[in-house]
Amino acid sequence: MSHSYSAAGRVAMVSEHASPLAQLGGPDAGGQNVYVAQLAAQLTRRGHEVVVYTRRDGPGFPERVTTSDGVRVVHVPAGPPAPIPKDELLPYMEEFSQWLAREWAAGPPDVVHAHFWMSGLAALAGARSLGLPVIQTYHALGTVKKRHQGAADTSPPERNAIETAVGRECSAIIATCADEVAELDAMGLPRRHVTVVPCGVDPGLFAPVPGAREHGTGPRRLLAIGRLVPRKGFDRAIRALAAVPDAQLLIAGGPQRALLRAEPEAERLWALAVEFRVSDRLALLGGVSRAHMPGLISSADLVLSLPRYEPFGIVPVEAMACGTPVVATAVGGQLDTVVDGRTGVLVPPESADHAIGTTVRGLLDDRDLLAEYGARGRRRVLDHYTWDRVADAVTRVYSAVSSVPSLSGVVR
């Protein structure tokens, strides 16, 4: 089907498993979905025409949908129209790429931006015969996942080799943090093709909510947020809670609260809380909508982000945007986003959990310091992590390899 374009630039985004329309909190729905949705919306507001291609994973999905932001989402028929774990999608990427090739032959975009390694594989195959430039954002790397998950890693065995091949063939790579650059370098990918552009946050939505909590009344509130998967480190937060006797811990993530009993990770966390005798101070909230998240974050004294590894980690940025300080493990993107001793505290990933608890207790005892950290965190987000700044940097990468205009040619 042919399409006519009249926008400043024609941008095709490929996000094979992470639809910008998805409900967050599922095992394969998280930061990448938000990134694609927000970046696409921001580029559309600047006058670009953006089409996001994602795999059709439901039988009743229309082929093409236009979001309220004006972003077009195309559900590509590749494999059965049903949810499939992302680690099982590789066999369907050839069908995905062939569909893209037909689509782009009828109306080629100016640039293709692939999100995740399988999207890169499909995008390059679909763009190759047309000579279209492809930008790659990995969002997560197989080498890192294998290192931390070992035998529990369910990625296809071909993943690392494909990631390297994609990085060598694409026109440019956008990394989200300095730690990822080091990983790409270790993979043998040329540093000159890599640009660091962090993930962003909407500071209008994620902002301090006045009156969200009357600090000084009731127990101190700790908050942890993320998908209910072991690597997020919620178990560490629970064990740390044992060393903070006057605090409560809220964990937001996963399915709706009523469905948590069927969630294995929720059951594991609850059993751990019983073992450490903190179950009376733990609340598993289930999934919390983005609309309600700023109020929840603003109600907390501290946000705990304790993953064992984290490619970028948007939770600390959202917390800082709400003026809430962060205690985070010194891993991945959190090394960039959380400034130790300025917007929160970075703890070594090998720290004993009771030592993390001691750190948390010390912070909770210093309300003035918490207030300073919170204010500095908000300023840091406004200076570095707005979607407007992200779109500026991404557009510069686009314009370096394609006809998409840089800032000077963009309609604001």
Side-chain angles (χ1 to χ4, degrees), residues 12 87 152 178 247 274 308 310 318 336 389 395 401:
D87 287 336
V274 171
R308 287 160 174 80
E310 187 60 76
E318 292 174 344
D336 289 5
R389 290 185 179 276
T395 305
V401 300

Side-chain angles (χ1 to χ4, degrees), residues 79 83 146 370 373 396:
K146 175 62 73 177
L370 286 180
Y373 282 178
R396 285 194 291 270

Side-chain angles (χ1 to χ4, degrees), residues 94-388:
E94 183 176 359
E95 185 180 0
F96 197 115
S97 68
Q98 291 171 349
W99 197 96
L100 291 177
R102 292 191 297 271
E103 169 91 352
W104 294 340
D110 297 313
V111 69
V112 179
H113 189 171
H115 299 271
F116 201 58
W117 66 278
M118 278 184 284
S119 294
L121 178 68
L124 284 166
R128 195 171 290 129
S129 66
L130 301 168
L132 303 175
V134 176
I135 312 293
Q136 175 67 29
T137 299
Y138 288 99
H139 293 279
L141 288 168
T143 53
V144 179
K145 189 177 181 186
K146 175 62 73 177
R147 184 184 311 140
H148 289 276
Q149 293 193 5
D153 180 10
T154 56
S155 299
E158 307 95 327
R159 176 173 179 174
N160 290 4
I162 292 174
E163 284 185 335
T164 302
V166 165
R168 287 182 176 146
E169 186 179 348
C170 68
S171 301
I173 299 170
I174 294 177
T176 56
C177 65
D179 189 64
E180 185 181 353
V181 176
E183 295 288 344
L184 294 168
D185 184 62
M187 291 164 60
L189 297 175
R191 177 65 181 86
R192 66 185 180 277
H193 288 168
V194 181
T195 301
V196 177
V197 181
C199 300
V201 68
D202 178 355
L205 173 63
F206 286 90
V209 177
R213 182 155 193 258
E214 294 298 327
H215 295 282
T217 63
R220 310 306 296 273
R221 175 171 288 183
L222 309 175
L223 175 64
I225 304 165
R227 290 180 292 131
L228 281 186
V229 292
R231 79 169 179 87
K232 291 297 185 181
F234 297 133
D235 53 341
R236 305 196 72 180
I238 290 171
R239 286 189 288 266
L241 183 64
V244 195
D246 57 342
Q248 61 177 193
L249 171 64
L250 279 57
I251 296 178
Q256 296 177 11
R257 192 168 191 171
L259 302 176
L260 280 177
R261 299 295 294 182
E263 192 72 24
E265 181 65 2
E267 289 296 291
R268 184 179 80 90
L269 295 174
W270 190 256
L272 190 66
V274 171
E275 177 187 347
F276 278 79
R277 299 181 180 179
V278 295
S279 58
D280 60 325
R281 297 188 285 123
L282 172 68
L284 299 178
L285 304 180
V288 175
S289 69
R290 281 176 64 76
H292 289 101
M293 193 61 78
L296 179 63
I297 294 173
S298 297
S299 77
D301 296 283
L302 270 176
V303 166
L304 306 184
S305 185
L306 305 175
R308 287 160 174 80
Y309 73 96
E310 187 60 76
F312 179 77
I314 197 62
V315 168
V317 183
E318 292 174 344
M320 291 190 298
C322 293
T324 302
V326 183
V327 173
T329 39
V331 297
Q334 298 186 155
L335 288 161
D336 289 5
T337 56
V338 180
V339 182
D340 188 40
R342 297 287 298 172
T343 68
V345 174
L346 288 171
V347 296
E350 66 275 8
S351 293
D353 298 329
H354 68 82
I356 295 175
T358 301
T359 297
V360 169
R361 193 169 66 239
L363 286 171
L364 292 178
D365 288 340
D366 194 336
R367 292 181 184 274
D368 291 340
L369 183 61
L370 286 180
E372 287 179 20
Y373 282 178
R376 289 181 193 142
R378 174 72 179 174
R379 286 197 297 272
R380 179 165 175 76
V381 167
L382 294 176
D383 288 342
H384 298 284
Y385 297 108
T386 66
W387 282 113
D388 197 47

